[in-house]
Amino acid sequence: MDLDDIPMKRTVLAVDDEELLRHYVARVIANEGYRVFVAGDGLDALALFDLGAPPIDLVITDILMPGMDGVELARRLAILAPAPRVLFVTGGHGLSDLPGPVLWKPFLADDLRTLVRRLLDDVPPQNRSDQDSETARFARRSAQPGLTCTGP
């Protein structure tokens, strides 16, 4: 068997100061076959990179966290080689421009899976109108009772 025939398991880092949400994201992503690490804040996330963790392909981070917020984490990750992609999750923030896609809380597991697959597998929306309607759908949908995740 050639090494090129072996599928590489992608690695995702879930960063959120809310433990319940952090583990919910990790469980949803792990069930899709991705390797998942978790961190409680931006500083813990950076420590994983310093400790020589396997290459991390995607960081899913809350925007508003104590210590180091998700935007500052993304800035620091951007200088790494190779820099991981970043997906922001938030229940609300005062920022007008973010350096990556945003998934609004509360969100459904299907929405999270769709965005992660798209970001890791480079699957773009079919066309611009699909992208606009999907972005609006992610912003408007709410999770089923019991799966709702709220911000701090």
Side-chain angles (χ1 to χ4, degrees):
M1 176 179 266
D2 191 334
L3 286 178
D4 292 333
D5 296 333
I6 301 172
M8 283 192 92
K9 186 180 277 192
R10 299 293 192 118
T11 304
V12 177
L13 172 60
V15 185
D16 201 299
D17 59 315
E18 189 177 327
E19 185 177 5
L20 182 63
L21 179 61
R22 182 172 63 239
H23 291 290
Y24 170 73
V25 168
R27 186 177 67 246
V28 169
I29 300 307
N31 286 342
E32 292 298 301
Y34 298 104
R35 180 183 322 155
V36 182
F37 292 100
V38 295
D41 60 36
L43 294 173
D44 288 345
L46 288 177
L48 283 173
F49 286 88
D50 291 340
L51 292 174
I56 295 172
D57 302 294
L58 175 66
V59 175
I60 302 171
T61 183
D62 191 7
I63 294 174
L64 301 176
M65 294 183 290
M68 180 186 300
D69 65 28
V71 175
E72 179 60 25
L73 174 60
R75 284 187 190 120
R76 293 192 185 190
L77 294 175
I79 63 172
L80 298 178
R85 293 181 178 210
V86 176
L87 170 61
F88 295 100
V89 294
T90 187
H93 59 83
L95 305 171
S96 60
D97 190 28
L98 292 169
V102 177
L103 182 60
W104 290 88
K105 299 177 196 175
F107 54 83
L108 298 173
D110 284 343
D111 292 340
L112 177 61
R113 284 189 287 264
T114 298
L115 281 173
V116 168
R117 276 193 303 267
R118 180 166 298 137
L119 290 168
L120 290 178
D121 300 335
D122 293 322
V123 179
Q126 296 298 324
N127 58 47
R128 179 69 179 167
S129 65
D130 287 348
Q131 181 179 3
D132 292 343
S133 65
E134 193 161 89
T135 299
R137 179 174 59 89
F138 289 144
R140 285 193 309 267
R141 272 171 71 163
S142 61
Q144 302 166 12
L147 296 179
T148 301
C149 302
T150 58

